């Protein structure tokens, strides 16, 4: 190996090259996310070896970590999308959405129920654009205009993304930052209070204007507070995989009850007529009931100690670069608790659901094959992107590039960093279309910068994931899906312009909150 001798002052600048190329490729050159991630990984590897002194053996260890971590996260994504595809095929998702769309004619409650509550519910189990694809047709069906419907669905589900897809982004930020869930969850719960409430208010403003905010704002704040408390408690007790689902269900039930109670006082709006599928609503919700119950049993119930005892992983050695930067040895990495892993829980829920649906005559021939094809179509590019993002992040971390970059960022932005932290999460998600990818690409940098500034790593890691959640909801790929479902192909830019300001405003509010919390709770 030939090590290029460079002045130490140049190393932070050199460490930015893979990230800058990644972002420029996505934003300016029109590269696909997998291509940009591959190029970023290639550059990171070359710089890690020839400028930062990462030995070939160290690079192999970093790549082994990346493969194991990627499989941990991606199996959750694949399983969650497979479940959603199965239920789409069987008409369960349509039955739930149609039942909600017809539940109340009061427009503010209807707007919140579909674009905020139900979209968050779908995100809790699926992701990858499924909430936008599921909700936009329902909003159009009950009379909302095409472009606002797409923008409202994008903004409305963004609060649920970190704990969505059965917690894939939540597990990703834990794995790359090494911050345990019981430490991270309270900070995430605290920081999500404002995004949950203000995405509800944003939905009202997008769909109904200031009139909608005035008439339904109290409803959004009250129900949003209950949703935020539910998300916080669910994550704190160790059931982060269903935190978004539980919060969304509380929101939907609250909106349904309040919408019906207030309907006589508010008057009845005209409701578009549409046929409601024949599937019973509780039969359609059966797999979701199962997932919530199984998750609590495995994560927080009496069987949790037994489920926690079965752990799989690989022992990996410590490594040291030619510049004397060391990466610690790993034991049973990434500590996969098989019976607590969301993919295993989803598999059990799908099996029980299939048996019950077959017994009720609701199972359609070809469902499994159709669902596998849907997963490949929806998650193929995402999977490649996540894999190369993780490889790039861990190569940079083990080579000391992230540490060098963190010191440079500390000197550049200093005490304003807590405000910028969620905005970095937004940036990563806008570029990659994924909170998971944003957490992987930016998470280690954020935490090491926090350490360099003497800030709480858990607070900054939470700010990263909250920002990534907000940004992923309004990313360009979601605008493409929204335009397609709203019948507005070619209007992706207009939809993004409508949705993005709300996301940026919410991210700035979170940034101010993080700035205050960093002052009150220093590292």
């Amino acid at each position: 190996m030939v090590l290029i001798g460079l002045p130490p002052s140049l190393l932070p600048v050199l460490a930015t090259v893979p990230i800058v190329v990644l972002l420029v490729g996505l934003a300016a050159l029109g590269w696909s996310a997998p291509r940009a991630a591959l190029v970023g990984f290639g550059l990171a590897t070359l710089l890690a070896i020839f400028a930062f002194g990462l030995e070939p053996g160290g690079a192999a260890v970093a790549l082994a970590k990346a493969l194991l971590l990627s499989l941990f996260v991606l199996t959750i994504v694949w399983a969650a999308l497979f479940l959603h595809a199965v239920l789409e095929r069987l008409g369960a998702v349509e039955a739930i959405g149609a039942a909600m769309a017809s539940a109340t004619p009061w427009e503010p409650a209807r707007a919140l129920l579909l674009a905020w509550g139900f979209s968050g519910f779908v995100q809790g189990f699926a992701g990858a654009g499924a909430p936008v694809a599921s909700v936009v047709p329902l909003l159009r069906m009950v009379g909302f205009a095409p472009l606002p419907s797409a923008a409202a669905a994008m903004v409305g589900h963004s609060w649920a993304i970190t704990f969505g897809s059965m917690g894939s982004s939540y597990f990703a930020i834990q794995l790359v930052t090494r911050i345990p869930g019981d430490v991270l969850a309270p900070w995430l719960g605290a920081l999500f209070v404002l995004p949950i409430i203000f995405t509800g208010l944003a939905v009202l403003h997008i769909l109904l204007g200031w009139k909608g905010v005035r008439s339904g704002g109290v409803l959004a704040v009250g129900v949003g507070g209950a949703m935020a408390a539910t998300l916080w408690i669910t994550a704190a007790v160790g059931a982060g995989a269903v935190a978004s689902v539980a919060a969304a269900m509380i929101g939907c039930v609250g909106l349904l009850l309040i919408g019906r109670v207030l309907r006589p006082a508010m008057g009845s709006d005209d409701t578009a007529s549409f046929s409601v599928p024949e599937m019973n609503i509780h039969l359609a919700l059966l797999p979701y009931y199962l997932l919530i119950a199984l998750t609590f049993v495995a994560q927080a119930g009496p069987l949790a100690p037994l489920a926690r005892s079965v752990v799989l992983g690989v022992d990996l050695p410590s490594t040291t670069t030619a510049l004397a930067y060391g990466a610690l040895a790993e034991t049973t990495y990434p500590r996969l608790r098989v019976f607590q892993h969301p993919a295993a829980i989803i598999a059990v829920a799908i099996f029980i659901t299939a048996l019950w649906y077959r017994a009720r005559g609701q199972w359609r021939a070809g469902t499994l094959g159709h669902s596998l094809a849907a997963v490949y179509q929806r998650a193929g590019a995402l999977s490649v992107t996540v894999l190369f993002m993780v490889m790039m992040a861990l190569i940079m971390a083990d080579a000391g590039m992230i540490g060098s970059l963190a010191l440079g960022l500390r000197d550049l932005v200093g005490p304003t960093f807590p405000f910028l932290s969620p905005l970095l999460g937004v940036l990563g998600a806008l570029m990659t279309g994924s909170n998971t990818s944003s957490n992987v690409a930016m998470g280690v940098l954020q935490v090491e910068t926090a350490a360099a500034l003497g800030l709480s790593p858990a607070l900054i890691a939470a700010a990263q994931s909250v920002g990534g959640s907000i940004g992923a909801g309004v990313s360009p790929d979601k605008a493409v899906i929204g335009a397609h479902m709203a019948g507005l192909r070619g209007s992706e830019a207009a939809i993004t312009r409508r949705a993005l300001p709300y996301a940026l405003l919410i991210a700035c509010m979170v940034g101010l909150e993080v700035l205050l919390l960093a002052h009150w709770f220093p590292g």
Side-chain angles (χ1 to χ4, degrees):
M1 182 187 69
V2 179
L3 181 63
I4 301 172
L6 292 173
S9 59
L10 287 181
L11 292 179
V13 177
L14 209 56
T16 66
V17 171
I19 296 175
V20 170
V21 170
L22 172 76
L23 298 179
V24 170
L26 288 166
L29 302 180
W31 292 352
S32 66
R35 179 184 178 186
L38 174 59
V39 172
F41 161 67
L43 284 171
T45 303
L46 291 174
L47 289 169
I49 293 174
F50 294 108
F52 287 82
L54 182 66
E55 302 289 347
V61 170
L63 293 180
K65 293 178 188 176
L67 179 60
L68 292 167
L69 191 153
S70 298
L71 287 174
F72 185 106
V73 173
L74 287 174
T75 49
I76 302 173
V77 175
W78 297 334
L81 285 175
F82 183 74
L83 171 65
H84 184 75
V86 166
L87 297 178
E88 270 189 327
R89 172 78 171 175
L90 300 177
V93 175
E94 181 186 3
I96 298 167
M100 290 186 178
S102 62
T104 175
W106 184 36
E107 277 199 320
R110 188 193 302 157
L112 290 170
L113 187 60
L114 293 175
W116 188 46
F118 182 57
S119 69
F121 179 80
V122 175
Q123 176 62 39
F125 290 105
V132 178
S134 300
V135 168
V136 171
L138 294 172
L139 291 170
R140 295 289 296 117
M141 206 177 291
V142 296
F144 292 112
L147 194 149
S149 294
M154 290 166 62
V155 175
H157 84 282
S158 63
W159 66 269
I161 295 177
T162 282
F163 291 105
S165 298
M166 292 295 290
S168 60
S169 298
Y170 174 56
F171 290 113
I173 193 68
Q174 290 181 57
L175 289 168
V176 298
T177 63
R178 305 174 188 274
I179 299 174
D182 58 348
V183 176
L184 188 60
W187 286 114
L188 281 168
L191 294 184
F192 265 117
V193 174
L194 287 179
I196 289 175
I197 292 173
F198 279 91
T199 49
L201 295 172
V203 162
L204 291 173
H205 189 257
I206 293 169
L207 292 175
L208 298 169
W210 286 112
K211 176 185 176 182
V213 176
R214 287 192 295 270
S215 60
V218 173
L219 179 63
V221 172
V223 173
M227 291 165 64
T230 302
L231 183 139
W232 194 340
I233 293 169
T234 306
V237 299
V242 293
S244 287
V245 177
M249 291 186 75
I250 290 295
C252 289
V253 170
L255 290 166
L256 283 168
L257 294 176
I258 295 172
R260 288 176 178 175
V261 169
L262 294 183
R263 178 171 55 189
M266 296 297 178
S268 295
D269 302 310
D270 293 334
T271 303
S273 60
F274 54 93
S275 59
V276 177
E278 296 180 357
M279 182 180 286
N280 177 275
I281 185 66
H282 293 291
L283 182 62
L285 286 168
L286 172 65
Y288 305 119
Y289 295 152
L290 287 170
L291 278 172
I292 292 173
L294 289 170
T295 298
F296 274 100
V297 167
Q299 300 281 2
L303 296 180
L306 178 62
R308 197 178 297 118
S309 66
V310 182
V311 182
L312 294 180
V314 177
D315 293 341
L316 296 168
S318 61
T319 61
T320 305
T321 71
L323 297 181
Y325 184 86
L328 298 176
E330 300 286 355
T331 304
T332 59
Y333 187 87
R335 298 195 63 79
L336 170 61
R337 292 183 170 90
V338 178
F339 297 115
Q340 291 185 324
H341 193 266
I345 295 171
I346 292 171
V348 174
I350 291 175
F351 179 73
I352 297 172
T353 299
L355 292 179
W356 191 262
Y357 276 30
R358 283 183 183 277
R360 297 292 298 269
Q362 297 284 348
W363 191 266
R364 297 180 185 176
T367 294
L368 296 181
H370 178 275
S371 301
L372 286 172
V375 171
Y376 177 79
Q377 181 181 10
R378 290 178 178 175
L382 172 64
S383 300
V384 174
T385 302
V386 169
L387 175 60
F388 284 115
M389 285 283 190
V390 173
M391 291 165 67
M392 183 184 83
L394 291 184
I395 282 283
M396 292 180 67
D398 283 9
M401 296 172 68
I402 295 293
S404 180
L405 186 55
L407 293 176
L409 193 57
R410 177 200 63 184
D411 296 337
L412 180 65
V413 300
T416 64
F417 179 73
F419 173 78
L420 298 175
S421 181
L423 294 172
L424 287 174
V426 170
L427 177 63
L430 287 175
M431 295 297 100
T432 64
S434 164
N435 188 16
T436 299
S437 297
S438 178
N439 285 347
V440 168
M442 301 289 192
V444 180
L445 172 61
Q446 295 251 33
V447 168
E448 294 211 14
T449 305
L453 288 166
L455 302 173
S456 164
L459 170 61
I460 298 302
Q464 153 62 38
S465 198
V466 171
S469 186
I470 296 166
V474 299
S475 61
D477 63 310
K478 308 305 187 304
V480 171
I481 296 171
H484 174 77
M485 301 308 297
L488 295 173
R489 292 192 180 187
S491 300
E492 292 84 0
I495 293 171
T496 300
R497 285 195 298 270
R498 186 69 179 271
L500 185 58
Y502 297 95
L504 294 177
L505 177 60
I506 294 171
C508 288
M509 294 169 62
V510 174
L512 291 173
E513 183 182 15
V514 174
L515 193 62
L516 292 174
L517 289 171
H519 176 72
W520 292 332
F521 301 98

